[in-house]
Amino acid sequence: MRLNDSQEAVVSAGLEPLLVVAGPGAGKTTVLTSRIARLLRDEAGSNRKILGITYTNVAARNLRDKLELGVGGAVDRVLVTTFHGFATRLLQQHGSHIGLRPDFSIINEAEDRLLLLERAAESAGVSEEYSASRGETLLRLLGRLYERCLSADEASEVLHQGDDRLALSVFEPYVQISIAEGQLEFSLLVHLCNRLLVSFPAIARQTRRVYKYICVDEFQDTNEMQYRLLEIIAGADPSGLVLLADQDQVIYQWNGASPSRLKQASERFSLKLLLLPTSFRCPEQIVRAATQLISRNSSRFVSPDYGSESGVSADIDVVRLPDDQSEANWVADQIASVERSRWEQVGVLARNRKLLDLAMEAAVKHGVLCAAPVTKYDFISAPLVMLHSMLRLANQPNRLSVTRRLTTAFYIMTGRVVDPDVLAADAEEKSLDILTAFFTGMLPLSQSAEFRAVGAVIAEDLIARKAFRRVSHAFFAWVDALPPSSLKIAYEEDYLQERKTWEELERRHQGLKAENVTLAEFLRHFDLESKAREPADAVRFYTVHGAKGLEFNRVFLVGAAEDQFPAFQARKAGVTSEAFEEERRSFFVAVTRTLEKLTLTFADRYFGYPATESRFIGEMGLAARVPS
């Protein structure tokens, strides 16, 4: 790979700990790939491994794919994962020290979490105060506390009254019941990993010996629990640590990210500062306008002189419309004029979901195929719910909540009623696991050869050996052979999409490359992945927070008006507040998604109230026009 001088300085730097501050499109992934490849060459024959931590699963896959192309088999000495993926790995290896069984599962469903919470309330003796209606609020509060890696004593200092008092009562019981049941919600993964490493320093020392080199991408997005995990695994000698960050893209303060994190890490690890100031993605006009905007933020760690070598000239347009509906219709009309084959290269962004929905509704009326990507951790079609439930029951038998999902999905697909409570009682009476009891009861009633084939694979592979590789093939063959019916029609569209998602996850996931991967590992891989799929050839509609890390040939940013962007709450907090500076960083993120053309729009009225153009437009040195 050809690198410029700034990039080469990072790749060839010694083992002193580094903080690399990069601008948008500065080639962080290229630099990270090249540095890891260099470390692999320099450490040939060593048993030391390299840990690459990214913020998302998608980024982790992209980095690993590039490493496989560049270093071949040596990539086996690199673990590329997320903070949650790394925590899951350590808990799998060493969780028994805190009472966690190795076949633990990651639970996303609210039903499972609420059942654990109810048991925690019973254990804490506060059942009378607890009610299901308060459960969701408590779970959100507990999640925030766990993500801050607080102990029960520390949590008591930040909790006050009402639900807060109740949360303190169940804080530790919920953790202990989750461990005992082998069911961990997302927020507990890093929390328990940190607890494990602090309680058993020998495990922390061993982890440091294995992963001498640690590279963290998108470091600016780390929250407190992730930063604490990094402190533990880096230890007293952080040589070999490289943190890559874009200081101007800290837009997740609601999730614990902080503009001060770079300064905190720089002082804690004595980091040498290197800069990647040149964008290879954003045109010069975009970089110049965005830099003029973001330079007004006083909380920046450094003030680099950003430039561009994209080789593309950009077009920036600012358009003023009469009202929000006119704005949405004008943007939709512009998109409709774009050649359909280029729709997937168009992104429509907004500060809030309300304006985004308005723009998408108008685009649909103009005949535009639209996609509003979401993170989805659960399957919703009956066949995929049933398949997933069967694997989970094989991994952790006799979970009643999973049994309910299995029997409900089976009814939707076949019309045959199976009472989950009766099934569980029958299984207990006959000393069977629930999955065996289910097929024992259903197989004699079925005339389907495909269903009998599923039963055979379940019995011979899944239940007997926890072998799962043949299960989905047999299951999908049965689903495809089901007779047409109104019940089947009801789930078919979601099923076809989710089946593709399942098959893609099976094909691409690195864990499947090893024949000895366990069923528990396989399910954890699945449960950490989003199940959403985006349609091809569709215009993407994102909130600004959702668009971070993406790029589009053409970007429309709607709602560039005061009290919309910046938001009213931030403006009320004052232009020197953290909230207002985050609004400016969010605007910076939005405009730097652009590869060729940027269109900013605003209206004179939103939802019946008068509005003026966002001050960020003027800070970028831009002026609006009224379309003819």
Side-chain angles (χ1 to χ4, degrees):
M1 301 177 185
R2 294 189 60 185
L3 305 173
N4 65 17
D5 291 344
S6 299
Q7 292 173 323
E8 183 60 43
V10 177
V11 173
S12 60
L15 295 183
E16 59 187 320
L18 303 177
L19 172 61
V20 182
V21 176
K28 294 197 304 297
T29 303
T30 296
V31 170
L32 188 56
T33 304
S34 299
R35 181 167 177 84
I36 290 174
R38 201 213 86 189
L39 289 172
L40 288 171
R41 289 193 300 271
D42 292 351
E43 289 284 314
S46 169
N47 290 325
R48 287 176 172 173
K49 291 189 176 184
I50 299 169
L51 174 61
I53 298 180
T54 65
Y55 199 68
T56 67
N57 288 312
V58 173
R61 284 196 300 274
N62 290 340
L63 177 58
R64 187 175 181 85
D65 289 344
K66 289 184 177 182
L67 283 170
E68 286 181 338
L69 289 174
V71 301
V75 75
D76 290 338
R77 288 177 45 217
V78 185
L79 174 62
V80 182
T81 186
T82 62
F83 276 103
H84 287 88
F86 183 63
T88 300
R89 187 183 184 93
L90 290 184
L91 289 173
Q92 177 188 326
Q93 294 171 338
H94 306 292
S96 59
H97 289 82
I98 57 173
L100 184 66
R101 56 206 232 194
D103 68 348
F104 73 90
S105 62
I106 299 168
I107 56 173
N108 298 309
E109 296 89 347
E111 179 186 7
D112 291 332
R113 296 160 61 211
L114 288 170
L115 285 172
L116 292 177
L117 184 59
E118 185 177 350
R119 292 185 55 191
E122 292 175 3
S123 175
V126 291
S127 294
E128 292 185 3
E129 298 177 53
Y130 173 80
S131 66
S133 62
R134 302 169 71 180
E136 294 280 5
T137 301
L138 276 173
L139 285 175
R140 285 193 294 272
L141 179 56
L142 287 171
R144 289 197 294 270
L145 295 173
Y146 298 140
E147 286 171 355
R148 291 178 62 182
C149 294
L150 302 177
S151 66
D153 290 339
E154 291 169 327
S156 67
E157 297 177 8
V158 298
L159 296 176
H160 303 293
Q161 56 187 359
D163 280 344
D164 291 356
R165 252 200 339 265
L166 187 57
L168 183 59
S169 299
V170 298
F171 180 90
E172 190 59 27
Y174 185 78
V175 174
Q176 294 305 321
I177 288 172
S178 297
I179 290 173
E181 292 295 319
Q183 301 179 48
L184 303 184
E185 66 165 275
F186 200 65
S187 64
L188 281 179
L189 294 172
V190 179
H191 178 87
L192 287 180
C193 182
N194 287 353
R195 184 181 291 198
L196 168 73
L197 295 176
V198 169
S199 301
F200 298 90
I203 298 175
R205 288 193 297 271
Q206 171 64 15
T207 303
R208 292 184 205 117
R209 282 194 292 269
V210 173
Y211 298 107
K212 172 61 179 174
Y213 307 107
I214 304 171
C215 304
V216 183
D217 196 10
E218 303 290 356
F219 173 72
Q220 78 279 352
D221 291 331
T222 54
N223 58 27
E224 189 171 344
M225 71 170 179
Q226 294 162 340
Y227 179 73
R228 194 173 296 190
L229 174 58
L230 182 63
E231 280 192 305
I232 296 170
I233 60 177
D237 176 16
S239 59
L241 176 66
V242 177
L243 308 179
L244 292 97
D246 185 335
Q247 63 176 344
D248 298 319
Q249 295 198 41
V250 183
I251 62 172
Y252 294 148
Q253 288 193 81
W254 54 268
N255 193 41
S258 171
S260 64
R261 190 79 68 211
L262 273 65
K263 183 175 185 295
Q264 180 184 14
S266 183
E267 294 174 352
R268 164 64 177 81
F269 300 117
S270 301
L271 300 172
K272 176 183 178 181
L273 176 65
L274 294 176
L275 301 177
L276 295 178
T278 303
S279 178
F280 296 91
R281 179 187 73 206
C282 297
E284 178 66 33
Q285 295 91 331
I286 300 293
V287 172
R288 187 168 57 246
T291 302
Q292 195 169 323
L293 168 76
I294 203 65
S295 62
R296 293 173 178 264
N297 271 8
S298 61
S299 61
R300 301 175 81 204
F301 182 66
V302 289
S303 300
D305 183 16
Y306 289 141
S308 171
E309 292 184 12
S310 74
V312 177
S313 180
D315 179 17
I316 304 178
D317 194 15
V318 183
V319 178
R320 174 182 175 182
L321 285 307
D323 54 48
D324 47 19
Q325 191 61 61
S326 300
E327 179 185 33
N329 289 335
W330 185 87
V331 169
D333 188 60
Q334 297 298 302
I335 296 171
S337 68
V338 175
E339 185 180 339
R340 184 183 180 114
S341 63
R342 294 175 60 85
W343 279 355
E344 66 180 348
Q345 300 167 19
V346 176
V348 181
L349 312 182
R351 171 63 178 80
N352 60 68
R353 174 60 61 181
K354 194 172 182 179
L355 285 181
L356 198 65
D357 290 342
L358 195 64
M360 187 159 63
E361 181 181 341
V364 169
K365 290 179 180 178
H366 279 67
V368 175
L369 180 61
C370 303
V374 295
T375 299
K376 185 181 77 170
Y377 287 107
D378 301 327
F379 291 108
I380 59 175
S381 69
L384 273 299
V385 170
M386 182 174 175
L387 175 57
H388 195 210
S389 297
M390 290 193 303
L391 296 187
R392 296 182 82 174
L393 282 172
N395 181 54
Q396 290 186 339
N398 307 326
R399 283 179 57 186
L400 189 55
S401 60
V402 180
T403 304
R404 291 194 189 103
R405 288 194 283 275
L406 169 71
T407 56
T408 299
F410 185 66
Y411 168 74
I412 292 172
M413 295 167 64
T414 66
R416 191 178 297 277
V417 176
V418 179
D419 187 309
D421 295 308
V422 172
L423 176 62
D426 184 55
E428 184 177 6
E429 181 183 346
K430 297 176 181 177
S431 299
L432 299 174
D433 62 87
I434 285 179
L435 201 52
T436 298
F438 173 77
F439 278 97
T440 299
M442 290 300 104
L443 283 172
L445 303 177
S446 175
Q447 301 299 315
S448 167
E450 290 81 7
F451 187 68
R452 289 196 295 273
V454 173
V457 171
I458 294 293
E460 296 167 10
D461 289 8
L462 192 59
I463 294 173
R465 300 183 290 115
K466 293 195 186 310
F468 55 87
R469 295 178 185 275
R470 294 197 302 153
V471 173
S472 64
H473 179 76
F475 181 81
F476 290 141
W478 169 60
V479 176
D480 293 343
L482 287 172
S485 68
S486 59
L487 290 175
K488 184 175 181 182
I489 291 170
Y491 66 72
E492 192 160 28
E493 183 177 353
D494 287 331
Y495 162 62
L496 294 175
Q497 293 177 354
E498 292 193 332
R499 174 172 172 172
K500 289 179 182 177
T501 300
W502 183 284
E503 291 171 340
E504 286 174 5
L505 289 171
E506 282 191 325
R507 280 195 303 268
R508 78 185 184 201
H509 217 292
Q510 62 190 55
L512 293 177
K513 295 178 181 178
E515 287 299 321
N516 62 348
V517 65
T518 67
L519 174 61
E521 290 176 275
F522 176 79
L523 286 170
R524 286 194 290 267
H525 289 320
F526 259 50
D527 291 331
L528 285 172
E529 292 269 12
S530 173
K531 312 303 185 301
R533 292 182 79 253
E534 299 178 17
D537 301 328
V539 175
R540 267 54 177 175
F541 287 73
Y542 284 92
T543 63
V544 173
H545 288 82
K548 186 172 174 292
L550 303 178
E551 57 189 43
F552 304 93
N553 285 350
R554 185 167 186 181
V555 170
F556 291 89
L557 176 59
V558 301
E562 291 291 294
D563 294 342
Q564 301 296 328
F565 206 171
F568 169 76
Q569 294 86 349
R571 188 178 63 80
K572 189 175 180 180
V575 295
T576 60
S577 66
E578 288 187 3
F580 196 89
E581 290 209 347
E582 181 166 10
E583 289 293 294
R584 189 177 280 118
R585 286 193 296 270
S586 296
F587 208 93
F588 176 88
V589 168
V591 301
T592 55
R593 302 307 93 203
T594 310
L595 299 178
E596 294 177 6
K597 183 169 184 176
L598 170 65
T599 301
L600 307 175
T601 64
F602 68 93
D604 292 333
R605 297 187 73 82
Y606 283 97
F607 311 109
Y609 294 95
T612 58
E613 74 173 55
S614 170
R615 72 191 68 196
F616 297 151
I617 293 173
E619 290 178 1
M620 293 172 68
L622 304 174
R625 69 177 178 89
V626 177
S628 56

